């Protein structure tokens, strides 16, 4: 067993298939800074364990029995006993992303995602960011765009040139470190600009920023 730290990201794995659940536990337990605090094989057990273990991130299989992954995510979002747990949905059906987000999911991965993508998603979600598999992000954004006329929000005109650049790169799915590298600035500077953008545009998170950028025709 690896040594744990109070700063480790606490992960609850909710997956129906026992062998794959065990494999996920082993993979994540070997990652520095991650700590698997428990696992669950059905939806009701997932909600119950989240209440007792209060994880930072719940990795939730959409095909859970009892309660499916969308229902579990919705309950965790509304359940104060579970704490501020953030959910990542695992699925084979990209078209369910819209329902997952409405239920409160902060991340969305395909079961075909590799280990690096899985770990990256958990770390991003724990930082308060949103993470969506690149393979399905564009189809998700189109769901918001369909039928909407192009009307650039007035708020866009108030953005500085740098804020506009950061908004475009957030909409392209880049994280703060990647944006910093692209713009030759520090991650702290990018974080500052992202915070300003959220405030100026009256948005909640990076996902809403990406949707806003596409709807406004910024990208």
């Amino acid at each position: 067993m690896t040594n744990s730290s109070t700063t480790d990201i606490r992960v609850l794995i909710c997956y129906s298939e026992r062998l794959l659940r065990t494999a996920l536990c082993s993979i994540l337990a070997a990652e520095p800074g991650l700590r698997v605090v428990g696992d669950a094989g059905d939806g009701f057990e997932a909600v119950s364990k989240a209440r007792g273990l209060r994880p930072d991130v719940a990795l939730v299989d959409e095909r859970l029995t009892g309660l499916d992954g969308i229902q579990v995510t919705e309950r965790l979002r509304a359940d104060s006993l579970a704490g501020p747990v953030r959910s990542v949905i695992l699925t084979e059906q990209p078209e369910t992303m819209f329902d997952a987000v409405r239920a409160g999911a902060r991340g969305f991965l395909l079961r075909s995602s590799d280990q690096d993508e899985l770990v990256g998603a958990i770390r991003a979600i724990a930082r308060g960011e949103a993470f969506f598999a690149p393979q399905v992000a564009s189809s998700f954004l189109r769901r918001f765009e369909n039928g909407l006329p192009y009307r650039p929000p007035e708020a866009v005109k108030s953005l500085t040139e740098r804020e506009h650049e950061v908004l475009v790169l957030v909409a392209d799915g880049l994280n703060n470190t990647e944006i910093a590298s692209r713009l030759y600035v520090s991650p702290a500077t990018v974080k500052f600009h992202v915070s300003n953008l959220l405030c100026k545009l009256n948005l909640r998170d990076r996902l809403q920023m990406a949707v806003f950028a596409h709807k406004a025709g910024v990208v």
Side-chain angles (χ1 to χ4, degrees), residues 48-67:
S48 175
K49 287 203 170 181
R51 288 173 174 171
L53 297 170
R54 297 176 69 84
D56 300 307
V57 177
L59 184 63
V60 183
D61 177 22
E62 187 191 33
R63 297 183 303 187
L64 286 173
T65 57
L67 297 171

